[in-house]
């Protein structure tokens, strides 16, 4: 089967999913993506069974010619904003080719989403026969968009478990944040909570921050903070295998594949309630703690609590993370895709 993928910000973990499907089922992929974000410059290249192109290199007519030559049996589009992609989806849907859109936004039930749901027949279903959702909150959104259960795929995102799996547990007194250093990721909350932890409890733990963005200068002024710029995907597992506690205090995180990557690397976790992936991969008290959104106090309390656990308890939490990380895997991802009719 030939599968066309029209993506925005293509990631290493999505390539790993396609690689698995090509290896197991022989499906070939033609991929178009937007030029990588400077703050997340993923180095992704074509490989056997997967051809990767920058869509900015193609006008619509040239894009259509290349796709026609590929002769896709199925199309996946990561959203419904790009007008070039929508034109292609509409054309192939009219021919009976399955056209799938991805959805990672959580259903909040606000006015904007309810209006969007009312307009779905013209804005979404006009172009797509199926929708692929990340988790339970996205499933509810898909139902509000009037997709039938049999046309909803699950487990849109999957970490490269083989790469991140950590058979040994490393104990290291550090909190680890991975992501863009922007407001909605809660980086400011994390800095304040860590300073409070140091001041009130004289903690000997460090805070390791991996990523680029707005808060670099502020981070460098905080005692106990170690900052790394963007780390390429192939180098990230080795860093996570050093151990510690993963922290993601986002004000809003539609999903967050990094949560599964940290879990696979056998790291206990602290996540805010707004992190979509945490609903599936973090059990409170089992492999970490869930905190209220936008709360420095809650975050500091959780950091203090987990950092003062006995080593044996923290090690068991790490093992539990490794176990729960397999709840979503490449075999499930591939099976979803190959069942589409």
């Amino acid at each position: 089967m030939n599968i066309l993928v029209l993506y925005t910000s293509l990631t290493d973990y999505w390539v790993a999913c396609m690689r698995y499907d090509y290896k197991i089922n022989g499906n070939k992929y033609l991929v178009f993506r937007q030029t990588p974000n400077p703050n997340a410059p993923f180095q992704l290249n074509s490989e056997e069974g997967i051809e990767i192109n920058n869509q900015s290199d193609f006008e619509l007519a040239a894009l259509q010619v290349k796709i026609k030559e590929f002769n896709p049996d199925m199309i996946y589009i990561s959203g419904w904003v790009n007008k070039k992609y929508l034109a292609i989806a509409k054309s192939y849907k009219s021919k009976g080719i399955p056209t799938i859109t991805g959805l990672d936004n959580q259903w909040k039930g606000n006015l904007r989403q309810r209006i969007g749901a009312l307009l779905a027949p013209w804005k979404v279903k006009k172009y797509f026969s199926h929708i692929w959702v990340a988790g339970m909150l996205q499933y509810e959104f898909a139902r509000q968009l009037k997709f039938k259960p049999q046309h909803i795929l699950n487990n849109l995102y999957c970490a490269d478990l083989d790469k991140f799996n950590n058979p040994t547990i490393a104990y290291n007194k550090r909190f680890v944040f991975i992501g863009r250093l922007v407001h909605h990721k809660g980086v400011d909350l994390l800095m304040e909570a860590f300073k409070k932890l140091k001041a009130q409890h004289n903690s000997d733990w460090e805070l390791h921050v991996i990523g680029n963005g707005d808060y670099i200068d502020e981070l460098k002024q905080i005692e106990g903070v170690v900052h790394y710029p963007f780390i390429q995907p192939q180098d990230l597992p080795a860093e996570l295998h050093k151990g510690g506690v993963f922290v993601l205090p986002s004000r809003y995180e539609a999903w967050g594949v990094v949560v599964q990557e940290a879990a696979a690397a056998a790291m206990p976790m602290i996540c805010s309630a707004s992190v979509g992936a945490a609903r599936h991969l973090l059990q409170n008290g089992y492999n970490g703690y869930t905190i209220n959104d936008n709360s420095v106090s809650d975050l500091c309390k959780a950091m203090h609590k987990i950092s003062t656990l006995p080593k044996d308890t923290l090690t068991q939490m790490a093992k539990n993370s490794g176990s729960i990380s397999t709840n979503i895997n490449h075999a499930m991802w591939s099976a979803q895709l190959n069942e589409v009719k």
Side-chain angles (χ1 to χ4, degrees), residues 29-85:
Y29 289 85
L30 173 63
V31 182
F32 292 90
R33 64 161 183 188
Q34 291 183 357
T35 304
N37 187 314
N39 284 330
F42 293 106
Q43 296 174 1
L44 303 173
N45 301 303
S46 298
E47 58 186 71
E48 184 179 353
I50 304 171
E51 180 184 337
I52 299 174
N53 303 273
N54 289 333
Q55 65 97 6
S56 58
D57 295 338
F58 295 82
E59 296 296 333
L60 178 58
L63 192 64
Q64 290 171 323
V65 168
K66 189 168 182 64
I67 292 170
K68 185 177 181 180
E69 292 173 351
F70 181 65
N71 192 25
D73 301 296
M74 181 184 297
I75 298 174
Y76 171 78
I77 301 180
S78 60
W80 52 85
V81 175
N82 188 300
K83 292 183 178 179
K84 283 185 185 178
Y85 292 172

Side-chain angles (χ1 to χ4, degrees), residues 57-340:
D57 295 338
F58 295 82
E59 296 296 333
L60 178 58
L63 192 64
Q64 290 171 323
V65 168
K66 189 168 182 64
I67 292 170
K68 185 177 181 180
E69 292 173 351
F70 181 65
N71 192 25
D73 301 296
M74 181 184 297
I75 298 174
Y76 171 78
I77 301 180
S78 60
W80 52 85
V81 175
N82 188 300
K83 292 183 178 179
K84 283 185 185 178
Y85 292 172
L86 290 179
I88 292 163
K90 184 178 179 181
S91 172
Y92 280 89
K93 183 174 184 283
S94 68
K95 300 174 185 177
I97 301 294
T99 53
I100 308 165
T101 186
L103 177 65
D104 62 11
N105 286 333
Q106 300 175 12
W107 175 254
K108 299 288 187 180
N110 55 40
L111 181 60
R112 181 178 179 181
Q113 289 184 336
R114 291 187 182 279
I115 293 173
L118 290 173
L119 297 175
W122 301 276
K123 295 291 187 179
V124 185
K125 298 199 69 179
K126 175 181 178 180
Y127 303 101
F128 302 106
S129 59
H130 295 73
I131 192 165
W132 201 347
V133 302
M136 63 178 75
L137 294 176
Q138 291 81 10
Y139 184 91
E140 175 60 22
F141 204 159
R143 294 294 287 132
Q144 293 291 334
L145 294 173
K146 306 300 187 294
F147 280 91
K148 296 178 180 179
Q150 61 268 33
H151 294 151
I152 303 174
L153 289 69
N154 296 300
N155 303 315
L156 170 63
Y157 297 134
C158 178
D160 190 349
L161 296 179
D162 289 342
K163 183 169 69 175
F164 283 91
N165 180 50
N166 187 9
T168 60
I169 307 298
Y171 181 79
N172 198 334
K173 292 184 177 182
R174 64 175 192 161
F175 299 103
V176 181
F177 171 91
I178 305 166
R180 289 181 297 123
L181 308 182
V182 292
H183 181 262
H184 82 265
K185 294 280 187 180
V187 180
D188 56 323
L189 305 174
L190 181 57
M191 292 191 297
E192 290 305 311
F194 184 69
K195 287 192 289 186
K196 190 174 180 180
L197 180 73
K198 286 286 190 181
Q200 293 185 354
H201 304 289
N202 195 29
S203 175
D204 60 349
W205 280 50
E206 294 180 336
L207 172 59
H208 290 231
V209 177
I210 301 171
N212 292 321
D214 303 333
Y215 292 96
I216 293 177
D217 291 340
E218 291 179 58
L219 282 164
K220 289 180 178 179
Q221 296 174 19
I222 301 173
E223 182 184 354
V225 170
V226 180
H227 174 255
Y228 310 78
F230 180 83
I231 293 180
Q232 286 295 336
Q234 64 268 23
D235 300 321
L236 187 56
E239 184 60 38
L240 294 186
H241 290 170
K242 295 176 183 178
V245 172
F246 173 75
V247 184
L248 187 59
S250 300
R251 290 180 169 89
Y252 176 72
E253 190 80 33
W255 185 250
V257 173
V258 67
V259 174
Q260 189 180 17
E261 293 171 344
M267 299 181 76
M269 299 187 285
I270 299 171
C271 295
S272 64
S274 286
V275 177
R279 289 177 177 259
H280 297 256
L281 298 164
L282 173 55
Q283 295 294 323
N284 209 40
Y286 178 71
N287 65 321
Y289 300 108
T290 302
I291 60 170
N292 290 323
D293 305 334
N294 208 29
S295 175
V296 170
S297 176
D298 269 16
L299 179 53
C300 182
K301 287 177 183 177
M303 293 170 77
H304 176 61
K305 183 175 182 179
I306 206 166
S307 66
T308 54
L309 289 174
K311 182 178 179 179
D312 289 349
T313 303
L314 204 57
T315 299
Q316 185 58 54
M317 276 191 169
K319 292 178 180 178
N320 293 343
S321 275
S323 176
I324 207 171
S325 72
T326 61
N327 285 356
I328 303 169
N329 56 64
H330 283 160
M332 296 166 66
W333 187 95
S334 178
Q336 289 278 302
L337 195 62
N338 284 277
E339 283 299 308
V340 173

